[in-house]
Amino acid sequence: DVKVTQSSRYLVKRTGEKVFLECVQDMDHENMFWYRQDPGLGLRLIYFSYDVKMKEKGDIPEGYSVSREKKERFSLILESASTNQTSMYLCASSLEGNQPQHFGDGTRLSIL
Amino acid sequence: KQEVTQIPAALSVPEGENLVLNCSFTDSAIYNLQWFRQDPGKGLTSLLLIQSSQREQTSGRLNASLDKSSGRSTLYIAASQPGDSATYLCAVRQGNNRLAFGKGNQVVVIP
């Protein structure tokens, strides 16, 4: 069965902190994605990666960076957390080609 | 820019009725369309994926159709149950493996 694991379900951080969100998949998928989901705005793509050390900006990359040093792990970094980054963060992965994306359970991040 | 619309945003149906959920998209140049289910506070669960060359896909009580030329997909859930209460999202795949999501239909099945 497909498994995408996000390291935390809930996280509370302070403004200005550097925040790391981790995502691990066990399916040898090439593609990995980070989204945020906000009421009324739906899911928006932050960054994605199609291979180790490769990354591409999504629709809202400002204030975020990513790291993919190993195929199975994709990290989202909030360089200096701000209150407008309070949100639900979702990680997903997929095989190459026309295969479905599989999602983790999400991390509910609150920035105080 | 691709826009995906799901109307209505919320609906309620009595248990046992068939559920019909609609998804429309503005650019028919898609690779596939995926339907997801999301329970409150949780991630997305993939339900069905229809390739652009297909007309429909079925899994158990779920059936999804795709009319690419008119930019529409429909998800049918037969004989709805209270456990089907959730938010259902559709997403179309474009170039670069990106998905464009609708905002979802929030469904309540009333026992």
Side-chain angles (χ1 to χ4, degrees), chain B:
Chain B
K1 183 187 171 187
Q2 177 76 267
E3 294 202 4
V4 181
T5 304
Q6 294 182 250
I7 295 173
L11 68 156
S12 300
V13 296
E15 181 178 0
E17 260 195 27
N18 296 332
L19 257 172
V20 180
L21 304 176
N22 295 304
C23 171
S24 62
F25 48 95
T26 54
D27 185 349
S28 61
I30 65 170
Y31 289 83
N32 60 45
L33 184 144
Q34 199 168 352
W35 281 95
F36 295 90
R37 169 188 171 131
Q38 186 175 31
D39 294 297
K42 297 287 189 73
L44 278 65
T45 300
S46 180
L47 297 174
L48 289 167
L49 181 141
I50 313 175
Q51 304 294 352
S52 61
S53 58
Q54 296 176 317
R55 299 283 295 185
E56 66 177 337
Q57 276 285 349
T58 299
S59 175
R61 293 186 296 115
L62 277 59
N63 174 277
S65 65
L66 174 64
D67 184 343
K68 205 174 78 158
S69 60
S70 67
R72 292 184 184 182
S73 176
T74 301
L75 178 67
Y76 300 87
I77 303 177
S80 61
Q81 304 166 358
D84 295 328
S85 298
T87 297
Y88 293 84
L89 297 104
C90 73
V92 297
R93 188 203 154 200
Q94 308 165 104
N96 283 340
N97 287 309
R98 290 185 181 218
L99 292 182
F101 283 86
K103 292 182 180 174
N105 303 113
Q106 186 176 3
V107 172
V108 174
V109 179
I110 303 164

Side-chain angles (χ1 to χ4, degrees), chain A residues 9-110:
Chain A
R9 290 296 314 280
Y10 302 95
L11 209 52
V12 179
K13 296 291 182 181
R14 298 220 171 266
T15 305
E17 278 192 67
K18 191 169 186 176
V19 181
F20 294 84
L21 302 183
E22 305 287 344
C23 176
V24 176
Q25 49 94 4
D26 64 357
M27 298 153 293
D28 205 34
H29 284 175
E30 286 83 3
N31 304 307
M32 295 189 75
F33 308 83
W34 275 108
Y35 296 90
R36 64 178 282 178
Q37 185 177 30
D38 300 286
L41 297 176
L43 274 93
R44 294 178 290 169
L45 181 65
I46 305 171
Y47 266 99
F48 68 101
S49 167
Y50 50 90
D51 201 351
V52 176
K53 296 191 187 294
M54 307 301 287
K55 62 185 180 186
E56 279 202 29
K57 293 180 180 178
D59 299 319
I60 50 164
E62 297 79 18
Y64 302 95
S65 63
V66 289
S67 171
R68 193 166 181 201
E69 296 295 321
K70 293 185 178 180
K71 192 175 185 180
E72 66 270 18
R73 187 179 296 269
F74 192 34
S75 302
L76 179 69
I77 304 153
L78 284 66
E79 298 290 344
S80 177
S82 64
T83 54
N84 63 12
Q85 292 178 309
T86 291
S87 186
M88 173 71 129
Y89 288 87
L90 293 162
C91 174
S93 72
S94 72
L95 273 171
E96 265 300 345
N98 257 347
Q99 298 301 311
Q101 284 191 20
H102 298 276
F103 283 75
D105 280 339
T107 296
R108 173 80 58 189
L109 176 64
S110 296

